Structure formats: C-alpha cells, structure tokens
Amino acid sequence: MPAKNLSANRSALGHRVSYALRHPQRVPRHLVRATRDAWLRYRYPDHVAYYRAVMRSDTRTSPEAAVGSRSHERWLALGAMQFDYLLGHGLRPEHRMLEIGCGNLRAGWRFISHLEPGHYYGIDISPDILAAAQDTLVRQNLQGRLPTLTPVRDLTLRFLPDAHFDVVHAHSVFSHSPLPVIEECLAHVGRVMAPGGWFDFTFDRTEGVEHQVLREDFYYRTETLIALAEKHGLAARFMADWEELPHGQSKIRVTHREGGRTS
C-alpha cells in the first residue's frame, strides 16, 4: 500500500482535477457517487439518515463492498488485520466487546469465535448490513456463540448498561462521520466502558486542512480527535504501530482518564 498522503485536500478543485487526469477510469464511478450524494443530501439532511441510505444502496450491490472491501480476499484480510491487532493489544476471551459499526462482521466473526459465548455485541445504523451480518454468522457456523446484533438510530448508546464493556471497537466509522456524530459517541462511550476498558477507533488522518469528500469521507487531524475525547473526560493516544500495517486509516485508543494505558 502506498504511503498516506497527509497533506492533500481532496475536496479542493485543483486536487480533484489532477486526480481525474491521473485516473480517468475512475471518473464515471465518482460521477455516480456524486449524483447519488446530491439526491440523498436532498432527501436526508440528517447525516446518520443519509449514511444509512448510502449503506442501503451499497449493500444491495455487495455487502463486502459496502464495508469498504474491493474483493472477498480483501474482506478477509482486513478482518484478520483488525482481529490480530486487538489480539496483540489485550483482547482476551473473557472480555465483553461492543463493536460500533459492526457491518457484515468482516472482523466481527473472528471476535465472536474468540470471545466467550454471549460476549460480543454489535451495533450498526444500517439494518441492511446487519441482515448481511446474519448471513456471515450462518456461513461461519457461529450461531452457538450467541452474539447480539442491534440496529441503532444514533451513537448515544443509551440502551446499553453502565460499565459493561471491556473493549469497544469502531473500524471505519469515524472516517464517515462529521464531528457532531463523533462527539456524540465520545460523550457517551465512557459510560458503557468497564474500569480498565478501552475504545479503539480508526479515522482518516490529515496533517493539513480538515475536509470531507461528498458526505461520505471525512479527514481529521489527530489532535482534533484527541482533544474531543479529553473534552469528555477520556484519555486518548495515537496508536503508531497501527501505521505499520497495510491500511489507509489511522487509529486512536481511548481509556478512562484515571485508568491509565491498556496495551
């Protein structure tokens, strides 16, 4: 995977023209996305409702592509990467895990297999992708592990119990979220985290101007998200070793401020 471009403003006209000239074969797909974006912006001014509609559209074509995997092999590889990373950073079978934006269980089926029965709880704003997640459970013969899969309207987590989850995980969620949605999650995730627990999330990182492409891809500076976590009484640190892996996003780990580091 090529090195991350941390300075580009992908929303700038000059960048878009240059990209189109270098990759003309991708222009038709982008025009389709832009047309869909305009229509869905009109129909769904609320971002969560907008992205739920995006997922509905993408899932009809391919559940694996809807969660960002260009092929089944890439779907498997990205799931294994997430699982191996968490396994090497403290995930144990007895932990209770909440996966925010669990999708069609690209990594989730591995977490479910590893954790004790009933210890995995997956949520997603898209009922369509959760139906695909059920198909993944059947294919992997994991019904006996008793995972919970729940559609949600927002990220307030208000229906979940206090101090319950040892591990909270959100892969490729904040990369598609504006700051108010991210802040909503960070304002409430500490309540559901058990003492000593942690919350890992990925994001699209920039060291330049924070920007978005359509309403689907958002780029943030690391210090912006760390400060947002600290605003809500959490400690956050950039996970530099994730950067060594072949993945385009970056990762931050959040803990209770008084809980120190978990590694």
Side-chain angles (χ1 to χ4, degrees):
M1 176 172 286
K4 298 175 184 178
N5 186 338
L6 298 177
S7 61
N9 182 347
R10 295 161 184 81
S11 66
L13 178 61
H15 177 87
R16 287 182 288 164
V17 170
S18 175
Y19 187 88
L21 291 173
R22 286 183 285 114
H23 304 284
Q25 74 282 5
R26 299 180 184 177
V27 171
R29 182 177 181 274
H30 179 78
L31 291 176
V32 170
R33 281 184 64 198
T35 301
R36 180 181 70 176
D37 173 73
W39 170 239
L40 294 181
R41 278 175 186 259
Y42 172 74
R43 290 195 64 193
Y44 305 103
D46 171 72
H47 181 78
V48 172
Y50 163 85
Y51 205 75
R52 185 180 291 117
V54 168
M55 290 298 294
R56 183 184 306 120
S57 173
D58 286 346
T59 302
R60 286 197 199 105
T61 303
S62 165
E64 294 184 356
V67 297
S69 299
R70 297 182 301 274
S71 66
H72 183 64
E73 291 71 24
R74 186 60 178 162
W75 185 84
L76 289 170
L78 286 172
M81 188 187 307
Q82 295 172 59
F83 175 74
D84 291 343
Y85 187 85
L86 267 190
L87 197 63
H89 286 74
L91 180 66
R92 302 194 302 271
E94 67 270 22
H95 280 155
R96 296 184 185 276
M97 181 177 186
L98 170 65
E99 186 163 30
I100 298 171
C102 63
N104 69 333
L105 302 179
R106 177 171 58 182
W109 73 265
R110 299 175 189 271
F111 296 137
I112 292 165
S113 182
H114 176 71
L115 297 169
E116 293 177 4
H119 280 215
Y120 176 91
Y121 203 113
I123 64 174
D124 205 287
I125 65 168
S126 170
D128 300 271
I129 203 66
L130 287 177
Q134 293 175 352
D135 295 337
T136 301
L137 286 177
V138 173
R139 285 197 303 272
Q140 299 298 332
N141 195 29
L142 291 171
Q143 298 95 322
R145 308 301 289 181
L146 298 175
T148 300
L149 302 174
T150 301
V152 295
R153 290 175 297 198
D154 53 40
L155 296 183
T156 61
L157 312 175
R158 60 185 181 275
F159 64 98
L160 296 173
D162 292 355
H164 185 73
F165 295 103
D166 305 288
V167 179
V168 183
H169 185 250
H171 183 92
S172 198
V173 174
F174 290 176
S175 53
H176 302 300
S177 302
L179 276 180
V181 173
I182 296 174
E183 181 163 18
E184 179 178 81
C185 183
L186 291 173
H188 295 92
V189 72
R191 180 186 64 80
V192 304
M193 284 166 48
W198 72 88
F199 172 32
D200 279 10
F201 64 83
T202 62
F203 68 103
D204 280 326
R205 180 162 68 97
T206 182
E207 293 179 354
V209 176
E210 294 182 330
H211 60 282
Q212 68 183 68
V213 179
L214 305 179
R215 287 175 75 193
E216 295 186 29
D217 301 302
F218 293 78
Y219 293 81
Y220 296 109
R221 297 173 68 90
T222 303
E223 54 266 33
T224 296
L225 300 182
I226 288 178
L228 201 57
E230 292 175 346
K231 174 183 174 182
H232 294 285
L234 301 166
R237 64 184 175 104
F238 181 74
M239 303 297 279
D241 60 346
W242 174 261
E243 299 282 290
E244 300 168 8
L245 301 175
H247 193 280
Q249 295 180 14
S250 299
K251 188 184 285 282
I252 287 175
R253 172 163 293 191
V254 170
T255 60
H256 290 295
R257 185 171 289 166
E258 68 275 13
R261 292 187 175 187
T262 302
S263 60

